[in-house]
Every structure is written in C-alpha cells, then in structure tokens.
Amino acid sequence: MESGAGRGGILYGAAAREIPKSTDNVVTVKDELVIALPKGRILEELRPLLRSAGIEPEPAFDDSSSRALSFATNLPHVTIIRVRSFDVATFVAFGAAHLGIAGNDVLTEFDYPEIYAPLDLGIGKCRMVVAEPVELAPADDPGRWSHVRVATKYPETTRRHFAARGVHAECIKLNGAMELAPRLGLCRRIVDLVSTGNTLKANGLVEVEHIAQVTSRLVVNRTALKTRPDEIGGWVERFREVILADAA
Ligand code: PRP
C-alpha cells in the first residue's frame, strides 16, 4: 500500500497513523475499516461524495496507471479497496469489507442476506432492460413470449423477472460486451444496463422491455454493524447527511 504525505500536505495511511495519546497515556487505535468501491464510470460521481463525507484517498486512487488495489486515506484507520462492481457485494457480504457502494442491480442479483443497504446514494443512475436487434423489434411482442434466450450478466434477476409473468428465461452468462451476442448468433436478446443508450445504438439494438431502475446504495455488513454500531452507524449517518445536503 502506498502511503505518506500527499497533495496539499494531507497525510495518508501510516504517515497519518500518528497514534493519539491522551493525557493519561492511554493509546487508542481504532480497528481498520475497509470500504469497497466499484471500478469504472461510477467513480467520477463517487469522488465528490467521498470528499463531502471527509474521506480523501491517497493520490494513487485517481491514477489510472496505478496497479494498486488498496488505498490508504486521510483517515488513519480507513482503507479503500477498488474492485469490480459485483465483487463489492461479495467483499461486504463476507465481511472482508465493512462498508461498500453497490448498485441495486448487483444487490438484487446476489441477494446476500448479510448485506444491509440502508441508503440510496442517487448516483450511478441507469436502467436494466431487455434489448434486441432493431430489425426484430417492430414485429416482436414481448407480451407473447413463453420462452426467451438472453445473454446477460444478471441471470438470477432475469430469471426472476420473466418467471413472474410465466416466461421461461434461458440465460447465457457473460461478464461484459453483451451487445455483441445478437449479431454473432449467441442469442437474439440481451438483458443489460442502459445509461445513455449509446452502446445499444452503436450495436444496432433497441430496448424492448424495462426490468428495473438502478442506482447505487451504501451497503454495510450486518455483523459489522452489530459489532461496531457507533462507528459504522456513524458512517451511514454521515453519508445520509451528505446526500440530504446535496438534495437541498
Ligand atoms: C455498461 C453496460 C453497457 C453500457 C451502457 O457497461 O453493460 O454495456 O454500460 O451504457 P450506455 O447506455 O451509456 O452506452 P460498462 O461500460 O459499465 O462496462 P462493462 O461492460 O464492463 O460492465
């Protein structure tokens, strides 16, 4: 982990971990708190939120050429890990991270009982949809489907969505670039996230059914919340205040 003096004289990690000594010489060092954040586009929206919450990662966090995965912050006991969005949920569910930020697309897909998602951060807004080739759509009626084959990152969510209206969904799991699947004959339809719609358009696809609205949530490990209620509950409240202040 990189650490030391950073921008604007802020101290990170070990350098910031100057142990505060009280007058009676009792040394208090808090246990490490690990926050899991997702890689990718969402980070841009996340940075101002972190700053408002008082968390300033070390400079390597913003350096796309850095291969670091774990980052010290200006808060001596707070470490950030940067992982794939699906893995945020897994790190938090298993208690390897105490807090995290994850979209409800990921939370719904895993449905981990160990994760508590108390706060909608209102960032990372997009939608989960079914899409198909533009030339197929005019003559197609999703209401008449009894069986559908789709490529998706979200097989569980997709199966549940279609099962609720009696449609059997056969899911081919992909981890990205779903939009290629129809053109290459893997399947005619995909279930994926849409934000601007540019990726669908660039690949000759159109949205034919809406599945869910997606935003990012602050998530916490339930056991961590029970064992460190003041600290972790305090972070939830701090993020809540930031969101409320932004909305005001
Ligand atoms: C997401 C999603 C689409 C794209 C949609 O992928 O899977 O491919 O964004 O965005 P748009 O509607 O603004 O074009 P992302 O870029 O997050 O990469 P991924 O495929 O690695 O998930």
Side-chain angles (χ1 to χ4, degrees):
M1 187 188 303
E2 296 167 40
S3 58
R7 290 165 304 202
I10 301 174
L11 295 173
Y12 302 96
R17 210 165 280 126
E18 289 290 320
I19 297 170
K21 291 190 175 68
S22 67
T23 45
D24 57 0
N25 277 345
V26 175
V27 175
T28 37
V29 181
K30 286 186 184 173
D31 289 337
E32 186 183 30
L33 183 90
V34 178
I35 304 178
L37 299 181
K39 292 178 176 182
R41 285 194 265 183
I42 186 75
L43 275 181
E44 266 176 49
E45 287 185 83
L46 205 48
R47 280 306 260 113
L49 259 183
L50 285 180
R51 192 167 296 126
S52 302
I55 302 170
E56 195 58 55
E58 64 180 309
F61 184 75
D62 296 313
D63 175 0
S64 54
S65 66
S66 168
R67 302 299 297 158
L69 299 171
S70 170
F71 305 89
T73 72
N74 58 318
L75 304 173
H77 64 291
V78 175
T79 298
I80 288 175
I81 59 169
R82 193 173 57 196
V83 296
R84 287 173 191 265
S85 60
F86 275 70
D87 295 339
V88 168
T90 305
F91 274 94
V92 173
F94 285 84
H98 305 92
L99 287 162
I101 290 178
N104 54 300
D105 54 327
V106 170
L107 299 175
T108 310
E109 181 65 16
F110 283 125
D111 206 15
Y112 282 124
E114 298 85 354
I115 290 183
Y116 174 49
L119 188 58
D120 185 345
L121 298 172
I123 58 171
K125 285 183 187 156
C126 56
R127 55 195 188 277
M128 189 184 292
V129 306
V130 186
E132 64 186 21
V134 65
E135 61 277 10
L136 180 65
D140 196 17
D141 177 3
R144 296 172 66 89
W145 296 344
S146 59
H147 172 270
V148 67
R149 190 176 194 213
V150 297
T152 185
K153 267 196 239 183
Y154 306 97
E156 293 303 324
T157 312
T158 301
R159 277 191 212 103
R160 279 199 297 270
H161 169 77
F162 282 111
R165 60 180 173 90
V167 178
H168 174 70
E170 186 189 339
C171 298
I172 301 170
K173 174 81 162 60
L174 290 180
N175 296 308
M178 251 78 51
E179 293 85 357
L180 288 173
R183 291 278 163 238
L184 298 177
L186 196 56
C187 53
R188 290 196 289 181
R189 302 177 179 98
I190 66 168
V191 167
D192 197 10
L193 301 183
V194 174
S195 173
T196 61
N198 290 341
T199 312
L200 286 187
K201 199 170 173 198
N203 290 281
L205 302 173
V206 286
E207 191 175 328
V208 289
E209 186 166 324
H210 180 270
I211 296 183
Q213 282 304 122
V214 174
T215 49
S216 294
R217 318 279 160 130
L218 181 70
V219 295
V220 302
N221 175 276
R222 287 185 189 277
T223 305
L225 183 59
K226 276 188 201 137
T227 54
R228 295 161 72 170
D230 293 345
E231 183 188 12
I232 292 177
W235 278 109
V236 173
E237 284 321 304
R238 192 183 292 195
F239 275 98
R240 196 187 306 281
E241 282 160 20
V242 168
I243 296 302
L244 286 175
D246 279 356

